[in-house]
Amino acid sequence: MTQKFRTTDGGLIDRNRPISFTFDGKSYQGYEGDTLASALLANGVHLLGRSFKYHRPRGILAAGSEEPNAMVELRTGARKEPNTRATTIELFDGLVAKSQNCWPSLSFDIMAINNLFSPLLSAGFYYKTFMWPVSFWTNVYEHIIRRAAGLGTAPTEADPDHYEQCHEHCDVLVVGAGPAGLMAAQAAADKGARVIIADEHVLLGGSLNSEDLTVSGKPGNDWAAAQVAKLSAMDNVHIFTRTTVFGYYDHNTVAAIEKVSDHVAVPAPGKPRQRMWIFYPKQVVIAAGATERPLIFGNNDIPGIMLAAAVRTYTNQYGVKPGSRAIVVTNNSDAYRTAIDLHGAGVTVVAVVDSRTHPDAPLAAELASLSIELITGKTVGAAGGGQRVAYALLVSTQGDTEEPQRIDCDLIASSGGWNPNLHLHSQSGAKPVYNEAIFSFVPGQSRQAEVCVGAANGSFGLQECLDQGLAAGAEAAKLAGFKGKNKKPPKAGDDGDYSIEALWISPTPYNKSYKQFVDQQNDVKVSDVNLAAQEGYDSVELLKRYTTQGMATDQGKTSNVNALAILAGQRGEPIPDVGITTFRPPYVPVAMGVFAGHTVGHEFMPVRHTAIHDWNKKQGAVFIEAGLWLRARYYPQSPSDTMTDCYIRETNNTRNNVAMIDVSTLGKIDIQGPDAAEFLNRLYINNWLKLPIGKVRYGVMLREDGMVFDDGTTSRLGENHYFMTTTTANAAPVLSHMEYYHQTVWPDLDVVFCSVTEQWTGIAVAGPNSRKLLKKVIDIDLDNAAFPFMAVGECHMNKIPARLFRISFSGELAYEVNVPADYGEQAWLELLEAGKEMGVAPYGTEPLGTMRIEKGHVAGSELDGRTTALDLGLEGLSNRSKHFIGKHNSARPAMLAEGRLQVVGLKSLEPGRNLRVGAHLVDDKVTLESVSQSQGHVSATTFSPSLGCSIALGLLKDGTARHGEQIDAVFPLDDEKIRVEICHPVFIDPKGELVRA
Amino acid sequence: MLRIECPWCGVRNEDEFSYGGDAAVDRPSDEGSPDEWYDYVYTRNNSAGKHTEHWQHVNGCRAWVIVVRDTVTHKIYSTVPASPNLPTGKAGVDQT
Ligand SMILES: [Zn+2]
């Protein structure tokens, strides 16, 4: 019979719905309602993996998300998910899981030899061992570490599933749907508050499902189910199952992860795998329960040693017998229930071992009535066994050296007390405080709108949970503005009082040395904590980093309080003086995919298309990203056309004939108002007060620190009407910059402006034949006298209303036509048609770049945020008799001193060898190895069709005064060195005669 | 996640805003000394506590606002328009 360890009846699983799954290639059966862990235990499988450092056999410690050991690789192929806790995986048909960190097999693992060398792997071993020699770092140590350490392996294929992000507002968020949470949700909802209640599990009720409890005379799970049904029927309650609240952030923002499809093999069509929720609650009630901590004794990591409450969960909720011969070891009253429940399920309980000498009388009497032996004043000093626990050695808590008592068993249920789950409370900014009654931390003063109730508040009794939940839910609703009378809480059945005496480390038999694990996931032992303290790493934060305790994927949920109690013992100080580390989100591991949500691949950022985009695409243009825009880079005419072929052809066509480029991506800002000119005058370094209507001016803007920010042209269209263009990259920053000064510095200026980038299509028509072309379609006089260089005018292009600017970036006779964007493609086609007889052709950003370098126009690679107008040869434009942004700091002595990098032209003196962007400019005595003596760098390069050689712009120390000198451009990555001549940055038509022709 | 109450748009997520620096520094006049201009750009109090700062509702109404925020707790005490000239329904929003 399979499922040998299933109870004959009971539990909240559906025995009519068997489920098949495989673990390490072997098939098993479980039932609907099982987790992978409970189904494996039902089949007698306790060995699930190997530990992180020592490769020791590990099994199942817990029954929830606190599990440190039972991690498996879930699924295969692209959906493979490593380091998944078997205790939180809902069983589904066809589930495939694999053990991790073992080779060649789980039962025979070669790296287990680390277990014998453990003295080498003590606290801080990375820091101590891998110090020197340096050559060993990459050649030796890295291979050893990568092979030996680490848990599961990541999938190598892309995740085929998608993830969502959602936002939800509410009045009251209740975290956890145990007895306290269900009452809180009910109380808040009854007052009319909009309530969200979120719980990790699909079955709500928390401990009511895993413990033998009654509420209002009903079994706890039945009462919980009725309560959930009542909440589900309310319009103002939103229940989130399979949803873990993992982070509490500023301003009461709370994040949760909903595992929408993790309980099925493949998500249903249209469903995401997981969904991230950002909740905006007015009030938060944290009813997150508590986590049991294990007792620490020798070999306390052997499979078959489990938390006492987890044993009850497997027995009561899943109908699983986690062993046949059990002992229960405890320092508190709570674990007695494990013995009683195991006995009820038909498991032999050999003994309850209570470290206290005076256990609670009613519990002792109950054990006696069940004929379960009670041993007091003793504890388990060490366990024995290989891949499954086989016996326990009992020692006196006084640590005497008498013969230890040996008890054979295959299950040790251990309880060292309970820790309230304070993660969210701590993340909200609050400081937990130590409570002597429960030997653990409880919530401190709230810093945000949150309150902890029930077990999360250190109140472990069922009646307290119900009472506190109700009161907190009602109060939260009231604080959120809802009135109404409070109801009475239901009556809980007697579940006894919680009592505990501290026992942090068990004495070992004969005081011999044993491995006593504190953090099982990171293999941190008591001796590591002691060593860290002895070596001076004796604050909790240092301890954590030095030993890695609490830094594994479970964040030390079962080990943190134990670790700091041991540290306190080493320091000889009380626990509160040692303190507690800050909890940080996320509470459970969260897949990266859910943070990315839908913003992956093409959805990572929006793409902006100009009105000419479709036409460009049809032409087979090669595109380049310019910010979010896609711009045509060049236009291949045949499959064999290289980029170089294209930009040379397109440059030549512009220089010798006429060509068109889509410049719609330039930022465009419409500026109006009586103070518009004054505003421009302060934004730009140059003069704007006397620009006539119908004229364009090139302007340069600085930042307050004196560096050049942006450049572009601004035109005066009317008395109080201006039109600014910015570089494509700075369109948004320039607008924000203008808004900043207008709103915060000069609110007195009567001016308004807004971005019109997307309202206009801009087409530059450049080349000696551009006037001839435009004369065919433009309805105003274009003769040089009527429409000279830097003129602007309203006109029509055929029937399309247009603005015409006589400006040039290429250095040729050129115009820019702006039409409303809806006419953009039409205007483009009409211009092409009109220029057909002249051989007009489009050109892309690549020839645009070539021509701007030939003309020495500085652009983004020179406006790198570190150059002043003086460095760029633009200082001549400035008018220092007026005020402008950056005026004062651009005149600081360091900005005017010798030795600054200034823009220069560079010509390759080695025919056929092309200069490279990023090459350093060095004296010829400097070798390739000593580029630290760099005098500057190459910022932009091209092959110049007009000059027939490779040319560049560069930034060179005192470059303006060095025209005519020679220097080396070196590129050490490619062992490259090219002799260049320094020259004026304007390579062609230095007097600008062409643009004025 | 900070939640900033724009005087025009109401409470909005931090992602809709962009930070604009210290709002407590005074911009010198054109006659200001080089030292004053240097301080305006480079010298900042690194205060633990209340901090007056500029934010722009850049993915919203584009208004610049002055936020008083506690740099230790992130509590926001007030959010008011940076410009006295932009009309609002209220004189600024107290978020205490
Ligand atoms: Zn706004």
Side-chain angles (χ1 to χ4, degrees), chain A residues 315 339-347 370:
Chain A
T315 308
I340 294 160
D341 292 354
L342 278 174
H343 182 272
V347 176
L370 301 172

Side-chain angles (χ1 to χ4, degrees), chain A residues 330 336 350-354 359-360 363-365 367-368 372-376:
Chain A
T330 184
Y336 282 65
V350 192
V352 171
V353 184
D354 190 336
D360 309 35
L363 290 169
L367 289 191
I372 298 171
E373 188 186 355
L374 174 60
I375 300 169
T376 59

Side-chain angles (χ1 to χ4, degrees), chain B residues 6 9 57 61:
Chain B
C6 173
C9 311
H57 194 188
C61 65

Side-chain angles (χ1 to χ4, degrees), chain A residues 402-424:
Chain A
E402 65 189 57
E403 181 78 17
Q405 181 185 348
R406 173 175 165 141
I407 300 181
D408 289 343
C409 59
D410 63 0
L411 173 65
I412 298 177
S414 127
S415 176
W418 287 87
N419 301 328
N421 286 333
L422 300 175
H423 304 71
L424 296 174

Side-chain angles (χ1 to χ4, degrees), chain B residues 8-85:
Chain B
W8 292 274
C9 311
V11 180
R12 289 291 192 272
N13 272 354
E14 177 188 342
D15 349 355
E16 291 185 15
F17 293 82
S18 69
Y19 183 69
D22 196 329
V25 286
D26 288 325
R27 194 169 188 273
S29 72
D30 195 34
E31 287 71 45
S33 69
D35 283 349
E36 284 172 328
W37 278 100
Y38 175 90
D39 286 343
Y40 168 62
V41 173
Y42 295 106
T43 309
R44 293 291 179 273
N45 285 325
N46 185 13
S47 49
K50 281 192 184 183
H51 187 245
T52 307
E53 55 203 21
H54 279 128
W55 289 77
Q56 186 182 20
H57 194 188
V58 68
N59 292 317
C61 65
R62 299 203 57 94
W64 283 89
V65 293
I66 296 171
V67 174
V68 180
R69 179 180 64 99
D70 192 304
T71 57
V72 178
T73 64
H74 287 320
K75 181 183 164 81
I76 291 179
Y77 293 92
S78 64
T79 307
V80 299
S83 166
N85 295 342

